[in-house]
Amino acid sequence: MSLHGQYDSDNIFAKIMRGEMPCVKVYEDDNILSFMDVFPQSEGHTLVVPKAPSRNLLETNAKDIGRLFGSVQRIAKAVETALKPDGIVITQFNGAPAGQTVFHTHVHIIPRYEGRALGAHGGGGAMAEMEVLKSLAEKISAAL
Ligand code: AMP
């Protein structure tokens, strides 16, 4: 998938937002949905997705970007409170050559813990246990 093109409303995050696919939800409001990454690169890897359809940040309107990053900061602070990581990486990929695998704009919140290696990006690692993700999501939600 190149950087620009037609938005595909059958992408996996669009299906999650329509309730056609499950997710382990952290937070939802009128503008964003946040849920646990099922192939976490570290414990507590959380995604923040604007509800308005766009393929990537370059195609997202500035107002939605403002709201999105306000939510990213709020959820990152909750991740910090809930999980006490030593650092937090925020990533966002635009276009397949950049590493994007799901073509609906989203931001990754990836907690880092000293001495623990980062897992592979883009589903390269192991799928997480749902019960583990639910417990992490509950802790993060409670800290919001
Ligand atoms: P990107 O490569 O930046 O497009 O990120 C897509 C992310 O979505 C990857 O980190 C995947 O592990 C994650 N992912 C793919 N499918 C799902 C799903 N059904 N639920 C939660 N996360 C997913």
Side-chain angles (χ1 to χ4, degrees):
M1 286 266 198
S2 64
L3 204 45
H4 297 287
Q6 188 77 28
Y7 176 83
D8 175 7
S9 57
D10 277 336
N11 74 76
I12 198 147
F13 292 171
K15 287 184 178 173
I16 287 173
M17 285 188 284
R18 289 198 297 267
E20 294 166 14
M21 293 269 300
C23 73
V24 179
K25 196 188 290 186
V26 170
Y27 174 75
E28 181 169 16
D29 64 25
D30 289 346
N31 301 304
I32 70 137
L33 177 65
S34 176
F35 51 91
M36 304 310 294
D37 197 303
V38 286
F39 297 101
Q41 288 182 257
S42 74
E43 185 179 79
H45 184 165
T46 305
L47 299 171
V48 187
V49 183
K51 288 188 173 175
S54 70
R55 283 164 49 95
N56 58 54
L57 202 73
L58 306 185
E59 298 185 344
T60 306
N61 76 51
K63 197 172 167 191
D64 287 333
I65 291 174
R67 287 190 183 126
L68 171 64
F69 276 87
S71 298
V72 167
Q73 187 200 40
R74 187 165 164 241
I75 295 164
K77 285 180 176 179
V79 167
E80 184 195 7
T81 304
L83 307 180
K84 308 276 186 291
D86 301 303
I88 297 177
V89 182
I90 308 288
T91 58
Q92 193 280 315
F93 300 86
N94 300 285
Q100 187 175 9
T101 58
V102 176
F103 295 90
H104 180 113
T105 305
H106 56 278
V107 176
H108 299 255
I109 298 173
I110 306 173
R112 294 301 310 270
Y113 307 89
E114 265 173 36
R116 286 200 233 166
L118 191 64
H121 166 75
M127 192 163 177
E129 299 275 342
M130 286 305 125
E131 289 312 310
V132 172
L133 291 187
K134 279 183 193 163
S135 155
L136 290 163
E138 275 168 25
K139 283 186 198 163
I140 299 166
S141 295
L144 275 166

